[in-house]
Amino acid sequence: MKILSGIQPSGQLHIGNYFGMMQTMIAHMESDDLYVFIVDLHALTSVRDPARLATGTLEAAADFLALGLDPDKCTFWVQSDVPEVCELTWVLSTLAPMGLIERCHSYKDKVAKGIVPSHGLFSYPVLMAADILLYQADQVPVGKDQKQHLEVARDLAIKFNNQYGDTFVVPEPSISETMAIVPGLDGQKMSKSYGNTIPIFMEGKELKKRVMAIETDATPVDEPKDPEKCNLYKIMQLFASPARMQEIHGLYVNGGAAYGYLKLELLDLLNDKFGQAREKKQQYLSDPAMLREILAKGAEKARAKAVVTLDLVRSRVGLKY
Ligand code: ADP
Ligand code: TRP
């Protein structure tokens, strides 16, 4: 099965990205034909600082590799290194109904958050559809927030196939319902753009400060609390063993859950989970030439597939004369 997903290098990757997408992708490495890429063209819709975008791209690559992605067992590249995606975006955008794109809430959400409205931001879902269709992906693992974008990709594949004959695989979303949305420090969706994240690779005092900043209510320790309404509980669930979670559940419903202690426990769990990967990340970042070489090799592999699809598309629509 061909599994594909991308991530924006628009800020430090966080545990929402990890559980929503990165972990699932890495788990597919042994059994599937895996495509993982860093979507720098998408990030251009919100990052205006060239140095930040370039560094963010290398950092995101180091993050994936440090977390265990093996570039020899998958295709791992940077989106803009395969320019064919831009041509396919154009072709798809000539088919994309305005209404379909206008219905996408992520555009409105991003504008509401202060991102400058641009044509690129508006047509973001078409570029994402091109990402997916260019490689003929069967399945796309993403967090729940990307579900609508996947529907756009499916709609455009079906529309193209109906208009020009069978060309694209119609991709399936793969959304783990239990991991659907990781809450941030404030209980909203954890997101780089909300400033409410726990970055995967943060450490020491800085990390402790973030964990301590997880918002909790003012119920006294001894009183019962509803675990389902607690942000800290939901985050702990991602890290603690099922047995420990059962104990913690008991403390919530019967009284005795002390938020401060639980936060320190969470801090230990974070350090246990990501400690080794932090060291690996530093090793990768200390050798940017090697990182670039890994990405260049990945782009070569990806491009070999991309040109085949684009060639077919060109002939289907009449761009070959
Ligand atoms: P962000 O909102 O932080 O900018 P992205 O939009 O770059 O994150 O998302 C990258 C991937 O991580 C996507 O597959 C997305 O669905 C997933 N993801 C992002 N935030 C979360 C979250 N809080 N919970 C679960 N998955 C998430
Ligand atoms: N839009 C996705 C996000 O913000 C990133 C993305 C771009 C993507 N192209 C993709 C995800 C293709 C999956 C497949 O998270």
Side-chain angles (χ1 to χ4, degrees):
M1 178 116 62
K2 204 178 268 186
I3 313 277
L4 170 145
S5 194
I7 201 156
Q8 290 196 64
S10 52
Q12 288 175 303
L13 299 186
H14 53 76
I15 61 171
N17 299 136
Y18 179 76
F19 289 104
M21 185 270 209
M22 301 170 87
Q23 175 183 250
T24 323
M25 292 302 277
I26 293 168
H28 279 291
M29 193 167 64
E30 302 295 337
S31 52
D32 292 280
D33 186 11
L34 180 66
Y35 290 70
V36 185
F37 56 125
I38 297 160
V39 297
D40 55 347
L41 294 172
H42 278 107
L44 257 186
T45 60
S46 62
V47 182
R48 292 277 172 265
D49 174 348
R52 210 185 113 207
L53 182 58
T55 313
T57 300
L58 277 184
E59 283 226 15
D63 287 0
F64 263 109
L65 296 169
L67 289 168
L69 192 78
D70 179 345
D72 292 327
K73 292 187 179 160
C74 64
T75 305
F76 180 50
W77 77 105
V78 175
Q79 185 187 32
S80 67
D81 283 337
V82 181
E84 281 74 12
V85 75
C86 294
E87 187 172 337
L88 182 58
T89 301
W90 179 255
V91 173
L92 294 176
S93 65
T94 62
L95 272 185
M98 281 303 283
L100 178 69
I101 310 302
E102 275 169 354
R103 277 196 296 280
C104 291
H105 20 77
S106 103
Y107 173 76
K108 281 164 243 159
D109 292 350
K110 286 177 180 173
V111 173
K113 271 189 270 158
I115 297 182
V116 179
S118 65
H119 178 256
L121 191 66
F122 179 72
S123 59
Y124 182 110
V126 185
L127 174 58
M128 179 160 161
D131 278 337
I132 298 168
L133 304 185
L134 188 59
Y135 301 98
Q136 304 283 18
D138 300 299
Q139 245 190 42
V140 184
V142 282
K144 208 173 176 178
D145 58 314
Q146 295 296 315
K147 201 171 171 195
Q148 195 179 32
H149 288 160
L150 287 182
E151 278 155 18
V152 171
R154 285 173 59 84
D155 278 5
L156 293 179
I158 293 168
K159 213 168 161 54
F160 189 102
N161 290 349
N162 287 341
Q163 178 83 32
Y164 294 113
D166 244 7
T167 306
F168 292 122
V169 171
V170 180
E172 293 291 333
S174 153
I175 294 164
S176 150
E177 287 304 327
T178 47
M179 289 302 174
I181 293 199
V182 176
L185 305 182
D186 55 359
Q188 287 192 80
K189 173 192 124 105
M190 186 175 287
S191 170
K192 290 169 219 129
S193 39
Y194 295 160
N196 64 355
T197 66
I198 299 180
I200 305 170
F201 290 96
M202 191 172 263
E203 51 190 320
K205 275 190 193 153
E206 236 187 334
L207 178 63
K208 185 170 178 187
K209 218 168 132 188
R210 289 284 170 115
V211 170
M212 289 314 198
I214 297 174
E215 285 177 23
T216 44
D217 62 20
T219 318
V221 175
D222 296 331
E223 277 181 35
K225 307 172 182 71
D226 182 354
E228 294 317 316
K229 286 194 185 140
C230 181
N231 206 5
L232 173 62
Y233 183 88
K234 287 187 200 154
I235 299 177
M236 292 237 27
Q237 244 173 346
L238 301 167
F239 293 93
S241 68
R244 178 64 187 141
M245 266 338 277
Q246 221 172 352
E247 287 168 11
I248 295 176
H249 189 269
L251 293 175
Y252 269 81
V253 293
N254 302 319
Y259 294 135
Y261 285 112
L262 289 175
K263 285 180 182 177
L264 290 175
E265 185 175 337
L266 174 62
L267 186 62
D268 285 342
L269 289 168
L270 278 159
N271 284 325
D272 287 349
K273 174 112 184 146
F274 297 121
Q276 265 191 340
R278 281 181 203 144
E279 285 168 33
K280 280 201 202 146
K281 176 171 175 174
Q282 285 320 317
Q283 285 167 12
Y284 280 111
L285 284 182
S286 66
D287 193 351
M290 180 188 56
L291 268 179
R292 290 194 184 96
E293 196 183 311
I294 291 173
L295 294 168
K297 269 196 200 155
E300 210 178 302
K301 273 204 266 181
R303 199 162 185 191
K305 306 277 181 194
V307 292
V308 175
T309 311
L310 193 64
D311 191 59
L312 179 61
V313 167
R314 288 175 132 256
S315 79
R316 288 270 202 259
V317 301
L319 289 173
K320 278 191 162 181
Y321 51 88

